[in-house]
Amino acid sequence: MDKVFELIKRETKRQNETLQMIPSENYASADVRKAMGSIFENKYAEGYPGKRYYQGNIVVDELERLCQERVKKLFGVPHVNVQPLSGAPANLAIIKGLQESEKNIQLSQILSMGGHLSMGQSVSVTNIVMPAVHYGLTADGEINWRELEELAIKHKPKIIWAGGTAYTRIFQWKKYAEIADKVGAYFVADISHIGGLVAGGAHPSPVPYAHIVMTTTHKTLRGPRGAIIMVTKRGLQKNSDLDKLIDSAVFPGVQGGPHMETIAGVAVCLAEANTQKFKKYSAQIVKNAKILANELRIMNYELIGDGTENHMVWIDLTNKGVDGWAAAWALEYAGIIANRQTVPNERKSPYYPSGLRLGTPAITTRGMKEPQMRQIAKWIDEVISYTASEINNIDLSQEQRKTFKQVMIKDKKLLLIAQEVKDLCKKFPINV
Ligand code: DSN
């Protein structure tokens, strides 16, 4: 057997026996994976349905149109591009499509306060294509509307972005739209994290307010790794060529041939998301996250946004005596897969940040509910409190970090929790 298949077996075991609590991860269904592994993989299809640069695309055209129709129906948009390979290239294409002059700038949430690299952060190519200025969050974890509006008035950006990688409140789409209208900007909502919540009705939709909406398809939407760019009615009212601008920015602007096997998987996940079952699922994601947040708050965890209104819990660990790095590793050794995250006004670095991000989409897919959330919160606290009692240092040296990993991977207490986690996981198989 090729080594790869042995690795697939090991990864299957790992995913089965641990709790996936990275907010941007989920389990795609067996049907999605079947479509992803299909012979659509073999086909080159540069161009769009009815206008390809290769022969043999009769079936592919039908597939891409089917996928487009499903997006339009699910999100209520007049135009969609289903070809972006993932979120970052999708955002790059949006920026490229909207750029009219080298003087254009974009306005987005700052990376250290939950923004995303692909919205013009200084280390991203999206900043070279269109320089950016950034707004942050207030002390209570809300978008800093005053700062956003002041920056918008001062810089007259071409794009105002909503969304990113960490935010725990309901997005106030109307407020973004009002500011964007005031300065003539395009309002682009990146709903990658909450795409499934919007589809399932567990978060308000930005479609009535934004000109463009982008979502990745593998997070709460539970599809393959990909992305879609939607142009809304409002977008076409602002610029009747917006659909064409986006399409030509995706291809040939940023990408070559689309991954038709991914588009097949996206089409399957969209049908799955357009069901009552998915509505219930997305509501449960939020319910679970609220319970998890509440339990942690009771145990004196500092939560950005003082809780959550979506699928994510964002913790500042400074008062706990560990940083996000140590907490994330200790949790992994105990079978809980989280990810470390910067916090507003971060004083450390993105690699060794002060915070942690947890999410409920994947464990909700497994069927876990309120009682399991309470148990998981208890384990998380046990791991973090124990780790703090072992090190009580939020600024470990490189040498101390090396020793920490060598010691903690064999730690009896963490191994015991890992066994308890495994027992729970057995009762909630990844049944998709
Ligand atoms: N990596 C994604 C996340 O975890 O939020 C964003 O690209």
Side-chain angles (χ1 to χ4, degrees):
M1 185 165 66
D2 189 307
K3 171 89 178 161
V4 168
F5 296 99
E6 183 202 318
L7 294 176
I8 290 173
K9 229 167 132 184
R10 274 175 50 202
E11 176 62 6
T12 305
K13 183 170 153 63
R14 185 195 72 80
Q15 290 193 17
N16 269 297
E17 295 182 347
T18 55
L19 295 166
Q20 312 311 318
M21 296 195 68
I22 292 171
S24 45
E25 289 188 6
N26 212 331
Y27 305 106
S29 72
D31 280 352
V32 166
R33 286 184 283 120
K34 198 166 151 193
M36 291 281 290
S38 72
I39 49 164
F40 279 118
E41 144 67 25
N42 299 336
K43 194 66 201 99
Y44 243 123
E46 283 185 6
Y48 289 103
K51 196 178 174 215
R52 304 284 184 187
Y53 291 79
Y54 289 73
Q55 293 311 117
N57 278 306
I58 291 170
V59 184
V60 155
D61 276 5
E62 207 173 312
L63 172 68
E64 188 163 345
R65 285 197 179 107
L66 176 70
C67 190
Q68 290 170 343
E69 288 312 311
R70 288 184 178 179
V71 176
K72 289 183 196 173
K73 194 166 156 209
L74 186 60
F75 289 95
V77 290
H79 181 78
V80 62
N81 188 306
V82 297
Q83 295 193 1
L85 303 178
S86 206
N91 284 348
L92 177 60
I94 292 169
I95 294 163
K96 187 177 167 1
L98 296 182
Q99 190 193 41
E100 278 173 349
S101 111
E102 280 176 11
K103 290 196 183 122
N104 291 154
I105 64 157
Q106 48 183 324
L107 175 57
S108 62
Q109 195 171 327
I110 193 156
L111 189 66
S112 60
M113 296 201 193
H116 195 264
L117 286 167
S118 63
M119 297 170 199
Q121 310 290 338
S122 61
V123 290
S124 162
V125 65
T126 54
N127 182 280
I128 298 172
V129 178
M130 194 186 287
V133 286
H134 303 292
Y135 57 87
L137 304 183
T138 59
D140 56 2
E142 170 68 75
I143 297 293
N144 188 336
W145 294 109
R146 208 175 69 186
E147 185 184 26
L148 197 165
E149 186 163 8
E150 279 171 9
L151 287 169
I153 290 167
K154 182 168 171 203
H155 295 280
K156 300 268 179 305
K158 177 60 81 180
I159 304 172
I160 294 181
W161 289 96
T165 202
Y167 192 58
T168 52
R169 296 294 192 86
I170 297 280
F171 282 96
Q172 306 292 318
W173 306 125
K174 192 162 176 262
K175 284 195 184 179
Y176 283 102
E178 282 167 359
I179 299 172
D181 286 350
K182 199 167 176 177
V183 299
Y186 283 96
F187 166 30
V188 184
D190 177 338
I191 59 166
S192 294
H193 266 265
I194 55 166
L197 303 185
V198 170
H203 188 292
S205 170
V207 167
Y209 301 100
H211 300 110
I212 295 173
V213 178
M214 193 288 286
T215 183
T216 51
T217 46
H218 49 278
K219 297 185 174 87
T220 43
L221 207 47
R222 227 163 64 181
R225 308 194 86 84
I228 54 184
I229 303 174
M230 298 171 260
V231 177
T232 65
K233 198 169 144 202
R234 204 166 173 267
L236 288 172
Q237 277 162 0
K238 181 171 168 67
N239 180 346
S240 57
D241 283 333
L242 199 54
D243 48 356
K244 295 172 207 74
L245 286 178
I246 291 300
D247 284 353
S248 58
V250 172
F251 171 84
V254 170
Q255 297 181 182
H259 293 185
M260 293 316 302
E261 73 285 6
T262 303
I263 291 174
V266 171
V268 172
C269 100
L270 292 165
E272 291 173 352
N274 204 351
T275 56
Q276 281 306 318
K277 194 171 161 203
F278 194 86
K279 265 194 196 326
K280 269 174 81 178
Y281 163 69
S282 57
Q284 189 66 45
I285 292 177
V286 178
K287 211 164 165 188
N288 282 351
K290 285 186 174 174
I291 291 164
L292 184 68
N294 202 36
E295 294 293 309
L296 290 168
R297 193 179 26 217
I298 292 167
M299 293 187 276
N300 197 27
Y301 283 81
E302 272 185 32
L303 308 182
I304 317 298
D306 195 32
T308 187
E309 294 176 325
N310 55 33
H311 63 302
M312 184 188 302
V313 180
W314 187 7
I315 312 170
D316 184 342
L317 290 167
T318 310
N319 69 337
K320 291 290 178 182
V322 287
D323 65 9
W325 180 93
W329 276 109
L331 284 166
E332 177 159 355
Y333 299 142
I336 299 170
I337 312 299
N339 79 299
R340 54 194 197 268
Q341 174 75 31
T342 51
V343 296
N345 305 313
E346 179 63 68
R347 58 167 208 92
K348 289 161 67 72
S349 69
Y351 201 76
Y352 299 114
S354 306
L356 200 64
R357 224 175 38 144
L358 299 165
T360 53
I363 54 177
T364 307
T365 300
R366 290 181 90 139
M368 294 185 188
K369 292 201 169 126
E370 291 82 342
Q372 290 75 45
M373 296 309 118
R374 294 202 175 89
Q375 177 59 64
I376 291 168
K378 233 167 98 191
W379 281 327
I380 290 171
D381 180 53
E382 266 176 50
V383 171
I384 291 177
S385 302
Y386 173 68
T387 306
S389 72
E390 291 293 294
I391 58 173
N392 202 14
N393 183 353
I394 55 170
D395 288 310
L396 297 168
S397 66
Q398 287 303 322
E399 201 47 45
Q400 284 169 323
R401 289 190 194 276
K402 210 167 129 194
T403 312
F404 174 89
K405 285 178 73 176
Q406 284 163 354
V407 171
M408 296 303 252
I409 197 168
K410 293 182 283 199
D411 184 274
K412 282 208 175 76
K413 184 168 172 71
L414 297 185
L415 286 172
L416 200 71
I417 296 175
Q419 184 55 52
E420 289 171 6
V421 166
K422 212 189 275 186
D423 293 342
L424 176 72
C425 287
K426 263 197 206 130
K427 292 187 198 145
F428 292 89
I430 308 169
N431 213 2
V432 285

